[in-house]
Amino acid sequence: QLYMSDNALGTVGAAGIVGIISNSQNIKTLGIPFNGFKQESLVSILKAIVDNPTLQELDISFNRSSKPIGPELTQILTYHLGKKSHLK
């Protein structure tokens, strides 16, 4: 479990989160609310998640996305859902 709330990680921190997600096979829960992530950062994090076979829970609430990320999330999950058994 990795939970980092209210740290103002921003764009640079998002790149670090992507690196952690991409290289970890042990994280099942990722909580990164209140970190100032903008839309581009959140989408990068979501793309990394679909390639991580162990991550099952995600909290990205209360970040700074200027518009809903639902469409991007739907697109990412639709594309990868058939390939990744851990995404249900």
Side-chain angles (χ1 to χ4, degrees):
Q1 179 176 347
L2 179 59
Y3 195 83
M4 299 186 301
S5 176
D6 200 17
N7 287 295
L9 297 174
T11 304
V12 173
I17 296 290
V18 168
I20 290 169
I21 294 168
S22 299
N23 294 307
S24 174
Q25 300 299 308
N26 299 316
I27 298 174
K28 291 184 180 181
T29 303
L30 176 62
I32 48 174
F34 296 101
N35 278 295
F37 296 133
K38 295 181 180 177
Q39 175 134 357
E40 298 81 19
S41 296
L42 291 171
V43 169
S44 295
I45 291 168
L46 293 173
K47 287 179 179 177
I49 287 169
V50 297
D51 291 327
N52 182 301
T54 59
L55 193 62
Q56 298 172 356
E57 286 185 48
L58 174 66
D59 180 0
I60 56 171
S61 60
F62 301 103
N63 280 285
R64 293 184 175 172
S65 183
S66 60
K67 60 182 180 176
I69 62 166
E72 286 86 355
L73 177 59
T74 300
Q75 182 180 19
I76 291 165
L77 291 178
T78 299
Y79 178 76
H80 290 284
L81 193 57
K83 299 180 187 180
K84 307 293 179 188
S85 62
H86 74 286
L87 298 173
K88 296 183 181 180

